[in-house]
Amino acid sequence: MNALKTWAASNRPFLFFLGRFLITFFGLSFLYSLYLVYVERQGDLDLVTYWISRGSHELARFLGVADCEWSCFIDGCYVGRPGRMVNILEGCNGLRLAIVYAAYVIGIGGWNWRSLLQMCIGLVVVQIFNIIRIGSLIALRDYGGDLYFYFIKYVFGVWIYMSIIVLWLLKPRIDKWLGAK
Amino acid sequence: MKKLIWMCGAFMATMAMNAQSEELSGMEGLFETGGTDVFSPSPMIGPTSELGIIQKSLDDMFDFEIMDIGLPQGIQDNPPPPVPLDGGLTALLLAGGAAGYRQYKKKRA
């Protein structure tokens, strides 16, 4: 018990970070869940999934997927060539991961304008990574073969998680650019 | 003696009741017209009667209608795979904690 108290006393800033990190994560997740409940009651699809699927559709077309179709329903969107479509659900939109990223930024920097700016830019960057992930998946599914399943299972999961960790590791440098001491 | 008289009376009464019911059974077919029982309610619930219309309207009330929900071609036979991300959320939270700890250790050093 004494060892724990000594550790807590010497790592007080880390414990404050942990508190801010978790409170921000659960707070933002709660707000997002409220939004999802509201959207469900309206009988609508959430806007993040809508825009992610739309961006993925545009990217897939840019990557050369011919006859790429895009249709959204209450439970998600279908993008791709008929018969080789990809189902983009709420869990695929990457917003929960973006919330973890934002919680880290707030946890480290506290509630100030630099953190809020990084949070907003980070949200956009994570979503861009996600659009690249889903757009490439649609193109790979159109291409055919086992490559798609290999990528969906291993490569793109690592891709999106690594993008967030790299953004976290770059944070001190971004702070310096923004003029933090 | 009294007992014997009572028993005789009861026997006579039973016989009389049996005879009456036999007489009534002879009335079968009295109210029948051409094979259709007049007292049966079935002719009242014909398709054109008021009750028949209600019955008919209630028949399909709780059946599922097969509706075309307009899914794109090929989805019904081969559902497209979802591309979820939530699997590693806990791992990412732990990684965030670790990255934060590393950052504070660096600051302290």
Side-chain angles (χ1 to χ4, degrees), chain B residues 19-59:
Chain B
Q20 203 174 3
S21 66
E22 270 173 29
E23 273 177 27
L24 278 172
S25 66
M27 290 164 73
E28 279 171 9
L30 185 67
F31 299 105
E32 286 176 6
T33 50
T36 312
D37 194 349
V38 177
F39 296 111
S40 162
S42 57
M44 296 294 286
I45 314 181
T48 48
S49 74
E50 202 177 320
L51 275 173
I53 289 166
I54 294 167
Q55 184 89 31
K56 209 176 174 187
S57 64
L58 288 174
D59 271 351

PDB file of all heavy atoms in Angstrom, chain B residues 19-59:
ATOM      1  N   ALA B  19     -89.865 -42.761 -21.810  1.00  0.00           N
ATOM      2  CA  ALA B  19     -90.861 -42.740 -22.888  1.00  0.00           C
ATOM      3  C   ALA B  19     -90.965 -41.346 -23.485  1.00  0.00           C
ATOM      4  O   ALA B  19     -91.059 -41.179 -24.710  1.00  0.00           O
ATOM      5  CB  ALA B  19     -92.209 -43.182 -22.325  1.00  0.00           C
ATOM      6  N   GLN B  20     -90.869 -40.310 -22.628  1.00  0.00           N
ATOM      7  CA  GLN B  20     -90.977 -38.911 -23.107  1.00  0.00           C
ATOM      8  C   GLN B  20     -89.814 -38.546 -24.030  1.00  0.00           C
ATOM      9  O   GLN B  20     -89.984 -37.938 -25.069  1.00  0.00           O
ATOM     10  CB  GLN B  20     -90.996 -37.988 -21.899  1.00  0.00           C
ATOM     11  CG  GLN B  20     -91.644 -36.672 -22.223  1.00  0.00           C
ATOM     12  CD  GLN B  20     -91.804 -35.808 -20.975  1.00  0.00           C
ATOM     13  OE1 GLN B  20     -91.374 -36.182 -19.890  1.00  0.00           O
ATOM     14  NE2 GLN B  20     -92.430 -34.689 -21.158  1.00  0.00           N
ATOM     15  N   SER B  21     -88.593 -38.972 -23.609  1.00  0.00           N
ATOM     16  CA  SER B  21     -87.421 -38.634 -24.433  1.00  0.00           C
ATOM     17  C   SER B  21     -87.469 -39.372 -25.765  1.00  0.00           C
ATOM     18  O   SER B  21     -87.025 -38.863 -26.782  1.00  0.00           O
ATOM     19  CB  SER B  21     -86.135 -38.968 -23.676  1.00  0.00           C
ATOM     20  OG  SER B  21     -86.050 -40.358 -23.490  1.00  0.00           O
ATOM     21  N   GLU B  22     -88.022 -40.579 -25.786  1.00  0.00           N
ATOM     22  CA  GLU B  22     -88.162 -41.306 -27.049  1.00  0.00           C
ATOM     23  C   GLU B  22     -89.130 -40.574 -27.970  1.00  0.00           C
ATOM     24  O   GLU B  22     -88.925 -40.487 -29.171  1.00  0.00           O
ATOM     25  CB  GLU B  22     -88.660 -42.716 -26.769  1.00  0.00           C
ATOM     26  CG  GLU B  22     -87.497 -43.687 -26.559  1.00  0.00           C
ATOM     27  CD  GLU B  22     -87.972 -45.059 -26.103  1.00  0.00           C
ATOM     28  OE1 GLU B  22     -89.110 -45.434 -26.455  1.00  0.00           O
ATOM     29  OE2 GLU B  22     -87.219 -45.735 -25.402  1.00  0.00           O
ATOM     30  N   GLU B  23     -90.174 -40.041 -27.366  1.00  0.00           N
ATOM     31  CA  GLU B  23     -91.139 -39.273 -28.168  1.00  0.00           C
ATOM     32  C   GLU B  23     -90.492 -38.030 -28.767  1.00  0.00           C
ATOM     33  O   GLU B  23     -90.696 -37.699 -29.926  1.00  0.00           O
ATOM     34  CB  GLU B  23     -92.297 -38.836 -27.263  1.00  0.00           C
ATOM     35  CG  GLU B  23     -93.397 -39.883 -27.156  1.00  0.00           C
ATOM     36  CD  GLU B  23     -94.487 -39.447 -26.212  1.00  0.00           C
ATOM     37  OE1 GLU B  23     -94.680 -38.203 -26.054  1.00  0.00           O
ATOM     38  OE2 GLU B  23     -95.116 -40.327 -25.629  1.00  0.00           O
ATOM     39  N   LEU B  24     -89.641 -37.359 -27.979  1.00  0.00           N
ATOM     40  CA  LEU B  24     -88.949 -36.148 -28.460  1.00  0.00           C
ATOM     41  C   LEU B  24     -87.965 -36.478 -29.576  1.00  0.00           C
ATOM     42  O   LEU B  24     -87.813 -35.732 -30.526  1.00  0.00           O
ATOM     43  CB  LEU B  24     -88.191 -35.482 -27.312  1.00  0.00           C
ATOM     44  CG  LEU B  24     -89.012 -34.588 -26.409  1.00  0.00           C
ATOM     45  CD1 LEU B  24     -88.173 -34.156 -25.219  1.00  0.00           C
ATOM     46  CD2 LEU B  24     -89.514 -33.372 -27.165  1.00  0.00           C
ATOM     47  N   SER B  25     -87.315 -37.642 -29.442  1.00  0.00           N
ATOM     48  CA  SER B  25     -86.330 -38.007 -30.475  1.00  0.00           C
ATOM     49  C   SER B  25     -87.018 -38.209 -31.821  1.00  0.00           C
ATOM     50  O   SER B  25     -86.395 -38.115 -32.857  1.00  0.00           O
ATOM     51  CB  SER B  25     -85.568 -39.260 -30.062  1.00  0.00           C
ATOM     52  OG  SER B  25     -86.465 -40.359 -30.040  1.00  0.00           O
ATOM     53  N   GLY B  26     -88.280 -38.412 -31.801  1.00  0.00           N
ATOM     54  CA  GLY B  26     -89.020 -38.543 -33.050  1.00  0.00           C
ATOM     55  C   GLY B  26     -89.194 -37.225 -33.768  1.00  0.00           C
ATOM     56  O   GLY B  26     -89.629 -37.180 -34.910  1.00  0.00           O
ATOM     57  N   MET B  27     -88.814 -36.141 -33.106  1.00  0.00           N
ATOM     58  CA  MET B  27     -88.957 -34.826 -33.724  1.00  0.00           C
ATOM     59  C   MET B  27     -87.744 -34.420 -34.556  1.00  0.00           C
ATOM     60  O   MET B  27     -87.662 -33.318 -35.058  1.00  0.00           O
ATOM     61  CB  MET B  27     -89.180 -33.773 -32.640  1.00  0.00           C
ATOM     62  CG  MET B  27     -90.543 -33.895 -31.967  1.00  0.00           C
ATOM     63  SD  MET B  27     -90.582 -32.995 -30.441  1.00  0.00           S
ATOM     64  CE  MET B  27     -90.623 -31.339 -31.084  1.00  0.00           C
ATOM     65  N   GLU B  28     -86.763 -35.320 -34.656  1.00  0.00           N
ATOM     66  CA  GLU B  28     -85.555 -35.000 -35.439  1.00  0.00           C
ATOM     67  C   GLU B  28     -85.945 -34.709 -36.883  1.00  0.00           C
ATOM     68  O   GLU B  28     -86.774 -35.402 -37.455  1.00  0.00           O
ATOM     69  CB  GLU B  28     -84.593 -36.187 -35.414  1.00  0.00           C
ATOM     70  CG  GLU B  28     -83.778 -36.232 -34.147  1.00  0.00           C
ATOM     71  CD  GLU B  28     -83.000 -37.526 -34.031  1.00  0.00           C
ATOM     72  OE1 GLU B  28     -82.966 -38.288 -35.001  1.00  0.00           O
ATOM     73  OE2 GLU B  28     -82.445 -37.760 -32.955  1.00  0.00           O
ATOM     74  N   GLY B  29     -85.325 -33.668 -37.485  1.00  0.00           N
ATOM     75  CA  GLY B  29     -85.602 -33.338 -38.874  1.00  0.00           C
ATOM     76  C   GLY B  29     -86.780 -32.411 -39.029  1.00  0.00           C
ATOM     77  O   GLY B  29     -87.087 -31.986 -40.144  1.00  0.00           O
ATOM     78  N   LEU B  30     -87.432 -32.125 -37.888  1.00  0.00           N
ATOM     79  CA  LEU B  30     -88.604 -31.256 -37.952  1.00  0.00           C
ATOM     80  C   LEU B  30     -88.245 -29.859 -38.452  1.00  0.00           C
ATOM     81  O   LEU B  30     -88.964 -29.265 -39.240  1.00  0.00           O
ATOM     82  CB  LEU B  30     -89.251 -31.171 -36.557  1.00  0.00           C
ATOM     83  CG  LEU B  30     -90.540 -30.394 -36.475  1.00  0.00           C
ATOM     84  CD1 LEU B  30     -91.629 -31.133 -37.259  1.00  0.00           C
ATOM     85  CD2 LEU B  30     -90.983 -30.218 -35.027  1.00  0.00           C
ATOM     86  N   PHE B  31     -87.049 -29.342 -37.964  1.00  0.00           N
ATOM     87  CA  PHE B  31     -86.663 -27.978 -38.357  1.00  0.00           C
ATOM     88  C   PHE B  31     -85.625 -27.956 -39.478  1.00  0.00           C
ATOM     89  O   PHE B  31     -84.963 -26.963 -39.702  1.00  0.00           O
ATOM     90  CB  PHE B  31     -86.112 -27.230 -37.135  1.00  0.00           C
ATOM     91  CG  PHE B  31     -87.130 -27.102 -36.042  1.00  0.00           C
ATOM     92  CD1 PHE B  31     -87.064 -27.875 -34.897  1.00  0.00           C
ATOM     93  CD2 PHE B  31     -88.184 -26.209 -36.192  1.00  0.00           C
ATOM     94  CE1 PHE B  31     -88.011 -27.758 -33.910  1.00  0.00           C
ATOM     95  CE2 PHE B  31     -89.142 -26.102 -35.194  1.00  0.00           C
ATOM     96  CZ  PHE B  31     -89.054 -26.876 -34.044  1.00  0.00           C
ATOM     97  N   GLU B  32     -85.417 -29.054 -40.141  1.00  0.00           N
ATOM     98  CA  GLU B  32     -84.407 -29.082 -41.214  1.00  0.00           C
ATOM     99  C   GLU B  32     -85.075 -28.793 -42.540  1.00  0.00           C
ATOM    100  O   GLU B  32     -86.171 -29.278 -42.805  1.00  0.00           O
ATOM    101  CB  GLU B  32     -83.730 -30.454 -41.252  1.00  0.00           C
ATOM    102  CG  GLU B  32     -82.759 -30.633 -40.095  1.00  0.00           C
ATOM    103  CD  GLU B  32     -82.167 -32.015 -40.071  1.00  0.00           C
ATOM    104  OE1 GLU B  32     -82.410 -32.796 -41.011  1.00  0.00           O
ATOM    105  OE2 GLU B  32     -81.461 -32.316 -39.102  1.00  0.00           O
ATOM    106  N   THR B  33     -84.373 -27.977 -43.367  1.00  0.00           N
ATOM    107  CA  THR B  33     -84.926 -27.690 -44.695  1.00  0.00           C
ATOM    108  C   THR B  33     -83.863 -28.025 -45.733  1.00  0.00           C
ATOM    109  O   THR B  33     -82.829 -27.377 -45.799  1.00  0.00           O
ATOM    110  CB  THR B  33     -85.290 -26.202 -44.817  1.00  0.00           C
ATOM    111  OG1 THR B  33     -84.154 -25.456 -44.397  1.00  0.00           O
ATOM    112  CG2 THR B  33     -86.500 -25.844 -44.000  1.00  0.00           C
ATOM    113  N   GLY B  34     -84.112 -29.072 -46.449  1.00  0.00           N
ATOM    114  CA  GLY B  34     -83.190 -29.462 -47.527  1.00  0.00           C
ATOM    115  C   GLY B  34     -81.786 -29.763 -47.045  1.00  0.00           C
ATOM    116  O   GLY B  34     -80.820 -29.378 -47.689  1.00  0.00           O
ATOM    117  N   GLY B  35     -81.658 -30.377 -45.898  1.00  0.00           N
ATOM    118  CA  GLY B  35     -80.322 -30.780 -45.411  1.00  0.00           C
ATOM    119  C   GLY B  35     -79.598 -29.695 -44.662  1.00  0.00           C
ATOM    120  O   GLY B  35     -78.523 -29.917 -44.139  1.00  0.00           O
ATOM    121  N   THR B  36     -80.101 -28.484 -44.630  1.00  0.00           N
ATOM    122  CA  THR B  36     -79.422 -27.399 -43.913  1.00  0.00           C
ATOM    123  C   THR B  36     -80.138 -27.133 -42.601  1.00  0.00           C
ATOM    124  O   THR B  36     -81.353 -26.980 -42.587  1.00  0.00           O
ATOM    125  CB  THR B  36     -79.447 -26.101 -44.754  1.00  0.00           C
ATOM    126  OG1 THR B  36     -79.034 -26.423 -46.051  1.00  0.00           O
ATOM    127  CG2 THR B  36     -78.535 -25.057 -44.130  1.00  0.00           C
ATOM    128  N   ASP B  37     -79.388 -27.150 -41.555  1.00  0.00           N
ATOM    129  CA  ASP B  37     -79.950 -26.926 -40.240  1.00  0.00           C
ATOM    130  C   ASP B  37     -80.309 -25.442 -40.090  1.00  0.00           C
ATOM    131  O   ASP B  37     -79.457 -24.570 -40.250  1.00  0.00           O
ATOM    132  CB  ASP B  37     -78.918 -27.333 -39.182  1.00  0.00           C
ATOM    133  CG  ASP B  37     -79.572 -27.430 -37.817  1.00  0.00           C
ATOM    134  OD1 ASP B  37     -80.715 -26.988 -37.708  1.00  0.00           O
ATOM    135  OD2 ASP B  37     -78.910 -27.952 -36.901  1.00  0.00           O
ATOM    136  N   VAL B  38     -81.541 -25.155 -39.835  1.00  0.00           N
ATOM    137  CA  VAL B  38     -81.996 -23.758 -39.742  1.00  0.00           C
ATOM    138  C   VAL B  38     -81.352 -23.046 -38.570  1.00  0.00           C
ATOM    139  O   VAL B  38     -81.030 -21.876 -38.642  1.00  0.00           O
ATOM    140  CB  VAL B  38     -83.538 -23.723 -39.604  1.00  0.00           C
ATOM    141  CG1 VAL B  38     -84.025 -22.291 -39.426  1.00  0.00           C
ATOM    142  CG2 VAL B  38     -84.188 -24.342 -40.821  1.00  0.00           C
ATOM    143  N   PHE B  39     -81.089 -23.802 -37.509  1.00  0.00           N
ATOM    144  CA  PHE B  39     -80.523 -23.170 -36.304  1.00  0.00           C
ATOM    145  C   PHE B  39     -79.005 -22.974 -36.381  1.00  0.00           C
ATOM    146  O   PHE B  39     -78.430 -22.349 -35.519  1.00  0.00           O
ATOM    147  CB  PHE B  39     -80.870 -24.013 -35.069  1.00  0.00           C
ATOM    148  CG  PHE B  39     -82.346 -24.072 -34.825  1.00  0.00           C
ATOM    149  CD1 PHE B  39     -83.070 -25.243 -34.994  1.00  0.00           C
ATOM    150  CD2 PHE B  39     -83.021 -22.904 -34.479  1.00  0.00           C
ATOM    151  CE1 PHE B  39     -84.425 -25.266 -34.796  1.00  0.00           C
ATOM    152  CE2 PHE B  39     -84.378 -22.938 -34.280  1.00  0.00           C
ATOM    153  CZ  PHE B  39     -85.097 -24.123 -34.442  1.00  0.00           C
ATOM    154  N   SER B  40     -78.374 -23.559 -37.406  1.00  0.00           N
ATOM    155  CA  SER B  40     -76.920 -23.418 -37.504  1.00  0.00           C
ATOM    156  C   SER B  40     -76.569 -21.979 -37.912  1.00  0.00           C
ATOM    157  O   SER B  40     -77.236 -21.400 -38.769  1.00  0.00           O
ATOM    158  CB  SER B  40     -76.398 -24.387 -38.571  1.00  0.00           C
ATOM    159  OG  SER B  40     -75.114 -23.987 -38.969  1.00  0.00           O
ATOM    160  N   PRO B  41     -75.517 -21.381 -37.317  1.00  0.00           N
ATOM    161  CA  PRO B  41     -75.164 -20.003 -37.670  1.00  0.00           C
ATOM    162  C   PRO B  41     -74.363 -19.888 -38.969  1.00  0.00           C
ATOM    163  O   PRO B  41     -74.098 -18.808 -39.423  1.00  0.00           O
ATOM    164  CB  PRO B  41     -74.309 -19.550 -36.484  1.00  0.00           C
ATOM    165  CG  PRO B  41     -73.720 -20.800 -35.949  1.00  0.00           C
ATOM    166  CD  PRO B  41     -74.680 -21.896 -36.247  1.00  0.00           C
ATOM    167  N   SER B  42     -74.005 -21.015 -39.583  1.00  0.00           N
ATOM    168  CA  SER B  42     -73.107 -20.938 -40.744  1.00  0.00           C
ATOM    169  C   SER B  42     -73.620 -20.097 -41.916  1.00  0.00           C
ATOM    170  O   SER B  42     -72.842 -19.364 -42.513  1.00  0.00           O
ATOM    171  CB  SER B  42     -72.716 -22.338 -41.216  1.00  0.00           C
ATOM    172  OG  SER B  42     -73.879 -23.072 -41.508  1.00  0.00           O
ATOM    173  N   PRO B  43     -74.900 -20.146 -42.259  1.00  0.00           N
ATOM    174  CA  PRO B  43     -75.325 -19.317 -43.409  1.00  0.00           C
ATOM    175  C   PRO B  43     -75.203 -17.820 -43.130  1.00  0.00           C
ATOM    176  O   PRO B  43     -75.065 -17.027 -44.039  1.00  0.00           O
ATOM    177  CB  PRO B  43     -76.796 -19.700 -43.591  1.00  0.00           C
ATOM    178  CG  PRO B  43     -76.973 -20.951 -42.845  1.00  0.00           C
ATOM    179  CD  PRO B  43     -75.996 -20.927 -41.738  1.00  0.00           C
ATOM    180  N   MET B  44     -75.153 -17.435 -41.868  1.00  0.00           N
ATOM    181  CA  MET B  44     -75.028 -16.017 -41.514  1.00  0.00           C
ATOM    182  C   MET B  44     -73.628 -15.480 -41.795  1.00  0.00           C
ATOM    183  O   MET B  44     -73.419 -14.314 -42.027  1.00  0.00           O
ATOM    184  CB  MET B  44     -75.344 -15.827 -40.013  1.00  0.00           C
ATOM    185  CG  MET B  44     -76.772 -16.175 -39.639  1.00  0.00           C
ATOM    186  SD  MET B  44     -77.901 -15.037 -40.403  1.00  0.00           S
ATOM    187  CE  MET B  44     -77.604 -13.605 -39.399  1.00  0.00           C
ATOM    188  N   ILE B  45     -72.593 -16.383 -41.680  1.00  0.00           N
ATOM    189  CA  ILE B  45     -71.220 -15.903 -41.897  1.00  0.00           C
ATOM    190  C   ILE B  45     -70.771 -16.268 -43.302  1.00  0.00           C
ATOM    191  O   ILE B  45     -69.748 -16.883 -43.522  1.00  0.00           O
ATOM    192  CB  ILE B  45     -70.259 -16.466 -40.832  1.00  0.00           C
ATOM    193  CG1 ILE B  45     -70.886 -16.324 -39.444  1.00  0.00           C
ATOM    194  CG2 ILE B  45     -68.928 -15.727 -40.849  1.00  0.00           C
ATOM    195  CD1 ILE B  45     -70.031 -16.826 -38.335  1.00  0.00           C
ATOM    196  N   GLY B  46     -71.507 -15.900 -44.263  1.00  0.00           N
ATOM    197  CA  GLY B  46     -71.095 -16.085 -45.632  1.00  0.00           C
ATOM    198  C   GLY B  46     -70.137 -14.963 -46.014  1.00  0.00           C
ATOM    199  O   GLY B  46     -69.991 -13.995 -45.278  1.00  0.00           O
ATOM    200  N   PRO B  47     -69.494 -15.076 -47.161  1.00  0.00           N
ATOM    201  CA  PRO B  47     -68.519 -14.053 -47.554  1.00  0.00           C
ATOM    202  C   PRO B  47     -69.135 -12.668 -47.730  1.00  0.00           C
ATOM    203  O   PRO B  47     -68.463 -11.661 -47.615  1.00  0.00           O
ATOM    204  CB  PRO B  47     -67.960 -14.588 -48.874  1.00  0.00           C
ATOM    205  CG  PRO B  47     -68.920 -15.627 -49.320  1.00  0.00           C
ATOM    206  CD  PRO B  47     -69.608 -16.154 -48.104  1.00  0.00           C
ATOM    207  N   THR B  48     -70.457 -12.649 -48.007  1.00  0.00           N
ATOM    208  CA  THR B  48     -71.080 -11.343 -48.250  1.00  0.00           C
ATOM    209  C   THR B  48     -71.728 -10.770 -46.995  1.00  0.00           C
ATOM    210  O   THR B  48     -72.051  -9.593 -46.954  1.00  0.00           O
ATOM    211  CB  THR B  48     -72.154 -11.461 -49.348  1.00  0.00           C
ATOM    212  OG1 THR B  48     -72.971 -12.576 -49.018  1.00  0.00           O
ATOM    213  CG2 THR B  48     -71.524 -11.667 -50.716  1.00  0.00           C
ATOM    214  N   SER B  49     -71.891 -11.610 -45.968  1.00  0.00           N
ATOM    215  CA  SER B  49     -72.537 -11.095 -44.765  1.00  0.00           C
ATOM    216  C   SER B  49     -71.587 -10.183 -44.002  1.00  0.00           C
ATOM    217  O   SER B  49     -70.386 -10.165 -44.254  1.00  0.00           O
ATOM    218  CB  SER B  49     -72.956 -12.264 -43.872  1.00  0.00           C
ATOM    219  OG  SER B  49     -71.815 -12.815 -43.265  1.00  0.00           O
ATOM    220  N   GLU B  50     -72.161  -9.451 -43.064  1.00  0.00           N
ATOM    221  CA  GLU B  50     -71.366  -8.472 -42.306  1.00  0.00           C
ATOM    222  C   GLU B  50     -70.255  -9.149 -41.518  1.00  0.00           C
ATOM    223  O   GLU B  50     -69.121  -8.706 -41.508  1.00  0.00           O
ATOM    224  CB  GLU B  50     -72.301  -7.720 -41.375  1.00  0.00           C
ATOM    225  CG  GLU B  50     -71.749  -6.372 -40.960  1.00  0.00           C
ATOM    226  CD  GLU B  50     -72.732  -5.625 -40.094  1.00  0.00           C
ATOM    227  OE1 GLU B  50     -73.950  -5.673 -40.394  1.00  0.00           O
ATOM    228  OE2 GLU B  50     -72.281  -5.016 -39.142  1.00  0.00           O
ATOM    229  N   LEU B  51     -70.609 -10.267 -40.885  1.00  0.00           N
ATOM    230  CA  LEU B  51     -69.620 -11.003 -40.085  1.00  0.00           C
ATOM    231  C   LEU B  51     -68.501 -11.557 -40.960  1.00  0.00           C
ATOM    232  O   LEU B  51     -67.350 -11.572 -40.593  1.00  0.00           O
ATOM    233  CB  LEU B  51     -70.309 -12.144 -39.335  1.00  0.00           C
ATOM    234  CG  LEU B  51     -70.951 -11.763 -38.010  1.00  0.00           C
ATOM    235  CD1 LEU B  51     -71.731 -12.947 -37.464  1.00  0.00           C
ATOM    236  CD2 LEU B  51     -69.899 -11.332 -37.006  1.00  0.00           C
ATOM    237  N   GLY B  52     -68.855 -12.011 -42.162  1.00  0.00           N
ATOM    238  CA  GLY B  52     -67.873 -12.574 -43.079  1.00  0.00           C
ATOM    239  C   GLY B  52     -66.845 -11.544 -43.508  1.00  0.00           C
ATOM    240  O   GLY B  52     -65.652 -11.833 -43.606  1.00  0.00           O
ATOM    241  N   ILE B  53     -67.291 -10.329 -43.740  1.00  0.00           N
ATOM    242  CA  ILE B  53     -66.370  -9.252 -44.138  1.00  0.00           C
ATOM    243  C   ILE B  53     -65.377  -8.963 -43.017  1.00  0.00           C
ATOM    244  O   ILE B  53     -64.177  -8.818 -43.252  1.00  0.00           O
ATOM    245  CB  ILE B  53     -67.168  -7.983 -44.515  1.00  0.00           C
ATOM    246  CG1 ILE B  53     -67.898  -8.214 -45.842  1.00  0.00           C
ATOM    247  CG2 ILE B  53     -66.239  -6.794 -44.633  1.00  0.00           C
ATOM    248  CD1 ILE B  53     -68.945  -7.185 -46.140  1.00  0.00           C
ATOM    249  N   ILE B  54     -65.889  -8.933 -41.792  1.00  0.00           N
ATOM    250  CA  ILE B  54     -65.003  -8.685 -40.641  1.00  0.00           C
ATOM    251  C   ILE B  54     -63.989  -9.807 -40.518  1.00  0.00           C
ATOM    252  O   ILE B  54     -62.795  -9.590 -40.351  1.00  0.00           O
ATOM    253  CB  ILE B  54     -65.836  -8.542 -39.342  1.00  0.00           C
ATOM    254  CG1 ILE B  54     -66.691  -7.280 -39.439  1.00  0.00           C
ATOM    255  CG2 ILE B  54     -64.940  -8.483 -38.124  1.00  0.00           C
ATOM    256  CD1 ILE B  54     -67.782  -7.189 -38.383  1.00  0.00           C
ATOM    257  N   GLN B  55     -64.503 -11.043 -40.658  1.00  0.00           N
ATOM    258  CA  GLN B  55     -63.623 -12.217 -40.576  1.00  0.00           C
ATOM    259  C   GLN B  55     -62.518 -12.139 -41.629  1.00  0.00           C
ATOM    260  O   GLN B  55     -61.345 -12.343 -41.339  1.00  0.00           O
ATOM    261  CB  GLN B  55     -64.464 -13.469 -40.814  1.00  0.00           C
ATOM    262  CG  GLN B  55     -63.701 -14.780 -40.668  1.00  0.00           C
ATOM    263  CD  GLN B  55     -63.733 -15.277 -39.241  1.00  0.00           C
ATOM    264  OE1 GLN B  55     -64.712 -15.028 -38.555  1.00  0.00           O
ATOM    265  NE2 GLN B  55     -62.679 -15.909 -38.806  1.00  0.00           N
ATOM    266  N   LYS B  56     -62.938 -11.779 -42.838  1.00  0.00           N
ATOM    267  CA  LYS B  56     -61.988 -11.724 -43.950  1.00  0.00           C
ATOM    268  C   LYS B  56     -60.935 -10.643 -43.716  1.00  0.00           C
ATOM    269  O   LYS B  56     -59.762 -10.819 -44.003  1.00  0.00           O
ATOM    270  CB  LYS B  56     -62.763 -11.436 -45.246  1.00  0.00           C
ATOM    271  CG  LYS B  56     -62.081 -12.029 -46.461  1.00  0.00           C
ATOM    272  CD  LYS B  56     -62.914 -11.810 -47.688  1.00  0.00           C
ATOM    273  CE  LYS B  56     -62.173 -12.262 -48.920  1.00  0.00           C
ATOM    274  NZ  LYS B  56     -62.911 -11.910 -50.124  1.00  0.00           N
ATOM    275  N   SER B  57     -61.377  -9.508 -43.185  1.00  0.00           N
ATOM    276  CA  SER B  57     -60.433  -8.410 -42.964  1.00  0.00           C
ATOM    277  C   SER B  57     -59.450  -8.737 -41.847  1.00  0.00           C
ATOM    278  O   SER B  57     -58.346  -8.229 -41.804  1.00  0.00           O
ATOM    279  CB  SER B  57     -61.175  -7.118 -42.641  1.00  0.00           C
ATOM    280  OG  SER B  57     -61.860  -7.294 -41.429  1.00  0.00           O
ATOM    281  N   LEU B  58     -59.856  -9.602 -40.918  1.00  0.00           N
ATOM    282  CA  LEU B  58     -58.967  -9.970 -39.816  1.00  0.00           C
ATOM    283  C   LEU B  58     -58.004 -11.086 -40.196  1.00  0.00           C
ATOM    284  O   LEU B  58     -57.003 -11.294 -39.529  1.00  0.00           O
ATOM    285  CB  LEU B  58     -59.797 -10.407 -38.594  1.00  0.00           C
ATOM    286  CG  LEU B  58     -60.528  -9.298 -37.856  1.00  0.00           C
ATOM    287  CD1 LEU B  58     -61.423  -9.881 -36.779  1.00  0.00           C
ATOM    288  CD2 LEU B  58     -59.561  -8.302 -37.245  1.00  0.00           C
ATOM    289  N   ASP B  59     -58.333 -11.795 -41.295  1.00  0.00           N
ATOM    290  CA  ASP B  59     -57.546 -12.977 -41.654  1.00  0.00           C
ATOM    291  C   ASP B  59     -56.064 -12.669 -41.857  1.00  0.00           C
ATOM    292  O   ASP B  59     -55.204 -13.332 -41.331  1.00  0.00           O
ATOM    293  CB  ASP B  59     -58.114 -13.612 -42.935  1.00  0.00           C
ATOM    294  CG  ASP B  59     -59.188 -14.632 -42.573  1.00  0.00           C
ATOM    295  OD1 ASP B  59     -59.319 -14.930 -41.367  1.00  0.00           O
ATOM    296  OD2 ASP B  59     -59.884 -15.102 -43.483  1.00  0.00           O
TER     297      ASP B  59
END
